[in-house]
């Protein structure tokens, strides 16, 4: 479950239109990536069988947290919350002493080892999972 | 339920009650206890954990699998009570206790916890850290003594470790403010516990997230 975040997260955002199901010929589709590659990539929707390997996540900042220029990401279902936190921290260039929390339903912090795929099943709607993130110096 | 500028004791008790309601629905084991001498009360949970080398198996219902998916799509049958997820080899059973009390001086909830082996030997803070999720370890190991202290439980009078509440407002305020902005009632206890819990090895099942805010 613990993948190396460096090699599996990529920058280009998902700009796919909302909605589930295969999107052939979607105007904003970037070149499809082979299924075995990166955990985060442009949001081409290529369902494998009945389940998509990646899910769309929309990241929203809470409070004084810096807003990410790219908000929508396609993320592998098995990516953990901790993996996502590490990614956002790097993306926002936070220092080690700063904590970042991710919330579902704008109120609940899933445990660090929770997989985003599960969160998508429980809280996703309109083909995406909305997660709020908040920077804080919780301890120290 | 009114959201005051601060988190008052009434709100604390109310939110704990709601939290416990959900806990009962999913068998998560939280209870409310009152002190004999006053109307003070606190929320507590005890759970047993088997530790074997680097793997940890939990005894008890796996609420995570049970409740967050629609009935028709349940991934797997719920674990039976006391069914182990993996066979443990060299094992130790550890009893963890978590207590949630209200701090009048900080006006926030405070997490008290302790752990012991079944024969009563208490675990040291260092032992407890081995159950703490990696992502918190690095930060906390830099100075757990700044953030975790051993104190006397205000009601039981026994020594517990305490996650210091001085920064609680800092990370809870954005959540509370945001909830008011979108006109949604957020259960402070649920939100707070979901954040601090993992830092001390306490799992708060995902199904609380659906109950954490009432909007639907």
């Amino acid at each position: 479950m613990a993948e190396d975040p460096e090699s599996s997260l990529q920058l280009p955002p998902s700009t796919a239109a909302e909605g589930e199901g295969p999107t052939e010929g979607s105007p904003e589709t970037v070149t499809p990536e082979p299924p075995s590659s990166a955990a985060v990539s442009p949001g081409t929707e290529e369902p494998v069988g009945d389940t998509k390997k990646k899910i769309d996540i929309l990241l929203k900042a809470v409070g004084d947290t810096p807003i990410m220029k790219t908000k929508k990401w396609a993320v592998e279902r098995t990516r953990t919350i901790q993996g996502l936190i590490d990614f956002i921290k790097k993306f926002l260039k936070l220092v080690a002493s700063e904590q970042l929390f991710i919330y579902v339903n704008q109120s609940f912090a899933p445990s660090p080892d929770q997989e985003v795929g599960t969160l998508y099943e429980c809280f996703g709607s309109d083909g995406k999972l909305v997660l709020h993130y908040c920077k804080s110096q919780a301890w120290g | 339920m009114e959201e005051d500028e601060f988190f008052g004791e009434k709100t604390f008790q109310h939110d704990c009650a709601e939290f416990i309601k959900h806990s009962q629905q999913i068998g998560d084991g939280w209870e409310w206890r009152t002190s004999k001498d006053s109307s003070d009360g606190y929320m507590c949970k005890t759970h047993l954990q088997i530790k074997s080398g680097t793997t940890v198996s939990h005894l008890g219902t796996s609420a995570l699998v049970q409740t967050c998916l629609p009935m028709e799509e349940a991934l797997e049958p719920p674990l039976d009570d006391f069914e182990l997820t993996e066979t443990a080899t060299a094992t130790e059973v550890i009893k963890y206790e978590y207590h949630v009390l209200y701090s009048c001086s900080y006006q926030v909830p405070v997490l008290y916890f302790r752990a012991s082996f079944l024969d009563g030997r208490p675990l040291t803070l260092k032992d407890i850290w081995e159950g703490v999720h990696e992502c918190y370890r690095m930060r906390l190991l830099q100075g757990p003594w700044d953030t975790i202290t051993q104190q006397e439980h205000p009601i039981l009078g026994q020594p517990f470790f305490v996650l210091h509440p001085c920064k609680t407002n800092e990370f809870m305020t954005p959540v509370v403010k945001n909830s008011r902005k979108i006109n949604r009632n957020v259960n402070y206890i649920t939100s707070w516990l979901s954040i601090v819990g993992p830092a001390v090895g306490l799992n708060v099942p995902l199904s609380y997230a659906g109950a954490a805010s009432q909007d639907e």
Side-chain angles (χ1 to χ4, degrees):
Chain A
M1 186 174 78
E3 302 176 73
D4 181 350
E6 304 272 13
S7 63
S8 50
L9 296 176
Q10 285 182 7
L11 291 182
S14 154
T15 51
E18 38 181 58
E20 295 175 287
T23 52
E24 297 158 303
S26 157
E28 302 190 52
T29 301
V30 186
T31 312
E33 311 228 345
S36 55
S37 73
V40 177
S41 68
T44 58
E45 300 192 37
E46 292 187 18
V48 177
D50 289 326
T51 354
K52 282 183 278 194
K53 279 194 119 174
K54 292 190 183 162
I55 55 148
D56 283 342
I57 290 182
L58 183 61
L59 294 173
K60 292 188 167 178
V62 173
D64 298 330
T65 312
I67 299 172
M68 292 171 80
K69 270 195 202 157
T70 306
K71 298 184 180 57
K72 201 164 181 193
W73 300 85
V75 181
E76 237 171 34
R77 288 171 171 269
T78 53
R79 174 68 34 181
T80 62
I81 282 290
Q82 185 50 46
L84 201 53
I85 287 174
D86 290 340
F87 173 71
I88 299 173
K89 282 176 85 165
K90 277 199 193 123
F91 196 86
L92 295 178
K93 297 189 171 59
L94 298 189
V95 299
S97 66
E98 292 174 299
Q99 290 272 359
L100 189 95
F101 298 110
I102 287 183
Y103 300 92
V104 290
N105 263 356
Q106 298 188 69
S107 59
F108 185 90
S111 63
D113 52 356
Q114 185 71 250
E115 290 183 1
V116 297
T118 310
L119 294 178
Y120 176 80
E121 297 298 329
C122 298
F123 302 104
S125 65
D126 297 330
K128 65 182 182 301
L129 172 69
V130 177
L131 294 176
H132 287 75
Y133 63 94
C134 188
K135 173 187 88 159
S136 143
Q137 217 146 349
W139 289 290
Chain B
M1 174 184 66
E2 60 218 34
E3 298 275 1
D4 293 353
E5 284 305 289
F6 58 90
F7 179 67
E9 188 154 11
K10 278 219 171 80
T11 311
F12 167 77
Q13 290 177 349
H14 175 275
D15 285 0
C16 283
E18 292 294 310
F19 183 90
I20 288 172
K21 253 191 224 166
H22 187 76
S23 167
Q24 285 164 346
Q25 285 170 8
I26 64 173
D28 196 32
W30 286 90
E31 305 179 323
W32 182 259
R33 301 230 184 110
T34 38
S35 135
K36 290 177 225 162
D37 306 327
S38 71
S39 63
D40 285 349
Y42 60 97
M43 203 170 74
C44 72
K45 170 177 169 167
T46 300
H47 92 262
L48 300 178
Q49 202 162 303
I50 285 187
K51 217 167 92 163
S52 79
T54 52
T55 61
V56 177
S57 307
H58 290 270
L59 297 176
T61 315
S62 176
L64 213 131
V65 174
Q66 272 186 339
T67 51
C68 72
L69 300 176
M71 295 296 262
E72 320 90 63
E73 288 176 79
L75 289 175
E76 6 176 320
L79 296 179
D80 292 330
D81 282 326
F82 305 115
E83 177 183 316
L84 302 181
T85 53
E86 4 182 50
T87 309
T89 46
T91 68
E92 302 173 294
V93 179
I94 300 168
K95 179 173 101 163
Y96 287 82
E97 290 174 72
Y98 302 96
H99 293 212
V100 174
L101 281 85
Y102 182 71
S103 160
C104 293
S105 39
Y106 288 96
Q107 295 188 328
V108 291
V110 189
L111 184 60
Y112 287 72
F113 62 99
R114 65 178 174 187
S116 59
F117 295 100
L118 290 187
D119 62 7
R121 281 175 297 142
L123 263 73
T124 62
L125 206 45
K126 179 172 168 292
D127 293 330
I128 293 180
W129 284 144
E130 285 169 12
V132 170
H133 198 280
E134 260 178 50
C135 69
Y136 287 93
R137 264 192 229 172
M138 217 180 64
R139 170 76 185 122
L140 291 169
L141 282 172
Q142 282 163 8
W145 33 91
D146 288 330
T147 59
I148 295 207
T149 54
Q150 191 164 36
Q151 285 179 27
E152 198 179 271
H153 190 288
I155 294 175
L156 299 179
Q158 294 165 19
F160 273 73
F161 296 112
V162 183
L163 197 59
H164 206 277
C166 61
K167 297 289 180 182
T168 299
N169 255 327
E170 209 176 289
F171 63 83
M172 284 306 297
T173 299
V175 181
V176 175
K177 269 199 183 152
N178 189 61
S179 76
R180 284 189 213 159
K181 215 167 56 163
I182 58 173
N183 237 359
R184 183 186 275 179
N185 282 332
V186 166
N187 185 313
Y188 190 108
I189 292 295
T190 307
S191 295
W192 166 80
L193 204 52
S194 72
I195 295 168
V196 300
V200 299
L202 170 66
N203 179 49
V204 182
L206 194 56
S207 73
Y208 282 101
S213 69
Q214 265 100 62
D215 184 69
E216 315 176 303

